[in-house]
Amino acid sequence: MGRINRSLSKFGKTVSNKTQSFAHRASDRNIRLAVTGLSGSGKTAFITGLVNQLLNAGLSGKSNNLPLWQVTRDERLYGVKRALQPDLTVASFDYDLGMNALKQAVPQWPASTRNISEIRLTLKYQPSQGILAKFTDSASLYLDIIDYPGEWLLDLPMLKQSYEHWSMAQELRKPILAKSQYYPDFVTALDSLELGSNADEAELKHIAELYRQVLVDCVHQHGFYYAQPGRLLLPGEFAGSPVLAFFPLLNTSEDARESLENTHANSAYQVLKTRYKEYQDKVIRPFYKDYFSTFDRQLLLVDCFTPLNRGKEQFDDMTQALNGIMESFKFGQSNLLKRLFSPRIDKLLFAASKVDHITRDQQGNVLSLLTQLVKQSQRQAKFEGCEVETMAISAIKATQHGMIRSGKGEIEVVKGVSLNEREPITLFPGEVPKSLPGANFWGSQGFEFTSFAPPNYAPQSDEADFEHIRLDHLLQFLLGDKLK
């Protein structure tokens, strides 16, 4: 009887959480902000820095660290607190772990995003317009920040492809895959696979692992971005499951593919087809249905500097990855019924991250470059009624700006601590191209992006723990209309 009562109590709490969440959305008091970006864009550090700024904002402070955010400029924000998240099946974003990493004697950047997580904040403010302003002195907006790997978004285009078409698309990427030291072993194992014979579980698992090593090597050692399936890089809850034990068929002629279609159900070819279909149905579609399609607003972080360092192939691959991601976004202006039953992303922000790592006179250049990078996606989103913006930001400012004398006069520099050597450095990283780089840039580019360590933790009363660049501008765009 006690077990039944506990089950009923647990069920009642789940229903209550969902009912409460529904009520908040019905009254337009809940915003689901999704944050993503490709590998190295700084998602975890961004969310940690953003939450830190929010938790220290409000009327209690003597200074306003977010002056371009209308609700703080008008002194209408009473404060921000963490709240219990409504979805008990999603991991909580570990803000405390991120802050602990930043507070160490030798500060570290928070660990990278490995799975989907979220954190809920309650923003208490004084309404200035509408019916709320007439009847109350305070109102609350519930902000859910959802962190998820951008690599998972790269899988969404696979929903439109059959296993055969996906394999053909990966074959076009052979020049990139071949850069990996693991590629020869993968090709050798793949060529020895008897696709028409009975599938051997151990053999398929071995080849899938070789393919995973190729993808990981291409991304982390060679600086490429467009890796499918994305769950081979970040498996999440599917780690070790057979649904990830598949790979594309390379060097297979059209005649051979047609012949393989007639093989028996237990053949290696048919098993690979089945696993691809299962990956679509059990991994990609649930992510889209349960999470992605429920987002109200989307922030896409873009690291423009690393691919500029690495070369034209990597930069072009990042551009392709961004365009692939954007094809899967669901845009449109939200109204009450859409928010409840068919939410759509009504605001989209592209943000160039880590702009504290370049000099101030180059920040306009990186904004111009980002605008060029996402022009096609921006046009598509605007056409479908989504409000789109581009910004250059830094959630946790790791450098200071200064001037030094040179043979050409005074030049602006950045000063910080190098991430690897942990030594103080002063440098001019170079000029960021204002538009998509041409052949001249790649032939003689003088840009050298350097990774900096986090700043020393120096908390001050009534202020956030770190400096930022344009987070107030970001908050105004993403939340300003809900805090009037």
Side-chain angles (χ1 to χ4, degrees):
M1 189 67 180
R3 181 179 299 176
I4 294 176
N5 289 335
R6 286 194 296 272
S7 297
L8 288 173
S9 175
K10 183 177 181 181
F11 174 76
K13 289 180 180 178
T14 301
V15 172
S16 176
N17 284 334
K18 289 185 176 180
T19 302
Q20 192 176 58
S21 179
F22 184 90
H24 291 159
R25 292 184 69 77
S27 60
D28 205 24
R29 292 189 292 125
N30 175 223
I31 287 292
R32 290 178 60 78
L33 169 64
V35 179
T36 195
L38 296 175
S39 177
S41 59
K43 296 178 292 294
T44 310
F46 167 81
I47 295 176
T48 303
L50 178 66
V51 172
N52 182 252
Q53 292 291 338
L54 287 169
L55 293 177
N56 287 281
L59 293 180
S60 60
K62 296 179 181 179
S63 62
N64 182 6
N65 205 36
L66 301 165
L68 295 181
W69 193 18
Q70 187 73 44
V71 70
T72 58
R73 185 164 71 243
D74 294 346
E75 297 186 346
R76 293 187 295 106
L77 183 67
Y78 293 119
V80 180
K81 287 187 176 181
R82 295 162 68 177
L84 295 176
Q85 68 188 61
D87 193 339
L88 305 184
T89 64
V90 176
S92 299
F93 178 83
D94 203 333
Y95 168 74
D96 294 322
L97 185 66
M99 286 297 295
N100 287 339
L102 292 165
K103 290 179 181 179
Q104 294 180 94
V106 180
Q108 304 289 334
W109 291 112
S112 300
T113 299
R114 305 295 300 176
N115 210 331
I116 191 165
S117 64
E118 71 175 76
I119 184 171
R120 167 168 280 199
L121 302 175
T122 303
L123 285 68
K124 190 174 182 181
Y125 68 101
Q126 178 185 354
S128 63
Q129 298 179 18
I131 193 169
L132 281 177
K134 297 179 179 179
F135 293 100
T136 182
D137 290 331
S138 67
S140 295
L141 177 72
Y142 298 92
L143 172 64
D144 297 323
I145 303 175
I146 302 98
D147 175 29
Y148 67 100
E151 286 75 8
W152 293 3
L153 280 183
L154 294 176
D155 285 346
L156 292 179
M158 294 171 67
L159 291 174
K160 302 176 183 178
Q161 296 174 307
S162 65
Y163 178 63
E164 177 186 9
H165 289 131
W166 177 70
S167 292
M168 293 170 64
Q170 300 315 299
E171 190 162 349
L172 296 176
R173 294 183 60 79
K174 281 198 302 184
I176 290 176
L177 299 176
K179 294 181 183 296
S180 170
Q181 60 177 317
Y182 302 105
Y183 182 74
D185 291 340
F186 167 64
V187 171
T188 299
L190 184 59
D191 289 345
S192 66
L193 177 64
E194 294 290 340
L195 290 167
S197 302
N198 285 339
D200 180 276
E201 178 64 42
E203 184 179 21
L204 295 182
K205 185 176 181 180
H206 172 65
I207 300 176
E209 173 59 22
L210 290 174
Y211 180 60
R212 186 194 70 81
Q213 290 176 348
V214 170
L215 293 183
V216 171
D217 195 48
C218 284
V219 171
H220 295 298
Q221 299 302 320
H222 297 277
F224 291 96
Y225 296 88
Y226 211 131
Q228 290 178 331
R231 291 282 186 149
L232 282 188
L233 278 75
L234 296 169
E237 69 273 25
F238 295 101
S241 62
V243 75
L244 298 186
F246 73 95
F247 40 84
L249 300 181
L250 309 180
N251 305 321
T252 305
S253 67
E254 186 174 346
D255 290 341
R257 293 179 194 276
E258 290 180 1
S259 176
L260 288 168
E261 290 294 335
N262 298 319
T263 56
H264 58 88
N266 292 326
S267 70
Y269 177 75
Q270 296 296 343
V271 169
L272 288 171
K273 276 188 64 176
T274 299
R275 289 184 177 180
Y276 180 83
K277 184 68 166 57
E278 283 287 290
Y279 187 79
Q280 289 176 315
D281 294 341
K282 301 295 177 61
V283 180
I284 306 176
R285 283 195 175 91
F287 168 67
Y288 186 88
K289 177 184 176 184
D290 297 339
Y291 304 116
F292 186 72
S293 63
T294 69
F295 301 152
D296 298 312
R297 292 175 180 182
Q298 175 69 58
L299 169 61
L300 183 61
L301 293 172
V302 182
D303 173 11
C304 294
F305 308 128
T306 303
L308 284 175
N309 264 359
R310 288 170 171 166
K312 184 180 187 304
E313 286 184 297
Q314 288 85 346
F315 189 87
D316 290 345
D317 196 56
M318 181 192 71
T319 304
Q320 182 185 357
L322 289 175
N323 288 332
I325 286 174
M326 294 306 299
E327 287 178 4
S328 304
F329 276 26
K330 187 177 181 183
F331 301 110
Q333 292 179 329
S334 263
N335 59 34
L336 179 60
L337 291 178
K338 283 182 179 178
R339 282 178 55 76
L340 292 175
F341 303 110
S342 182
R344 300 175 73 87
I345 295 168
D346 59 8
K347 285 196 174 188
L348 170 64
L349 176 61
F350 295 99
S353 58
K354 308 178 185 179
V355 298
D356 58 313
H357 289 32
I358 59 174
T359 54
R360 287 171 294 188
D361 61 339
Q362 295 299 307
Q363 291 180 14
N365 285 17
V366 74
L367 183 59
S368 176
L369 175 62
L370 176 63
T371 303
Q372 291 290 316
L373 268 173
V374 301
K375 183 190 296 183
Q376 179 181 344
S377 302
Q378 192 173 20
R379 187 182 300 118
Q380 172 196 344
K382 285 184 176 180
F383 178 80
E384 297 184 19
C386 180
E387 192 175 346
V388 187
E389 183 64 271
T390 54
M391 294 181 191
I393 65 157
S394 178
I396 300 176
K397 192 168 177 281
T399 66
Q400 297 297 322
H401 294 91
M403 304 294 294
I404 63 171
R405 289 189 176 277
S406 71
K408 298 180 180 179
E410 285 197 335
I411 62 170
E412 188 171 4
V413 294
V414 292
K415 302 177 181 181
V417 175
S418 62
L419 182 61
N420 296 324
E421 291 80 13
R422 294 286 171 164
E423 293 290 336
I425 53 174
T426 298
L427 57 85
F428 173 68
E431 293 190 7
V432 180
K434 292 182 180 180
S435 57
L436 300 180
N440 292 337
F441 176 84
W442 301 115
S444 59
Q445 66 101 347
F447 181 78
E448 185 178 353
F449 172 69
T450 299
S451 296
F452 287 93
N456 288 324
Y457 173 71
Q460 300 177 22
S461 60
D462 296 331
E463 293 184 9
D465 299 319
F466 305 102
E467 295 181 75
H468 70 88
I469 298 176
R470 299 187 190 91
L471 283 189
D472 45 356
H473 189 188
L474 176 146
L475 287 166
Q476 180 58 28
F477 173 74
L478 291 172
L479 302 179
D481 59 324
K482 302 299 181 182
L483 296 168
K484 293 182 178 178

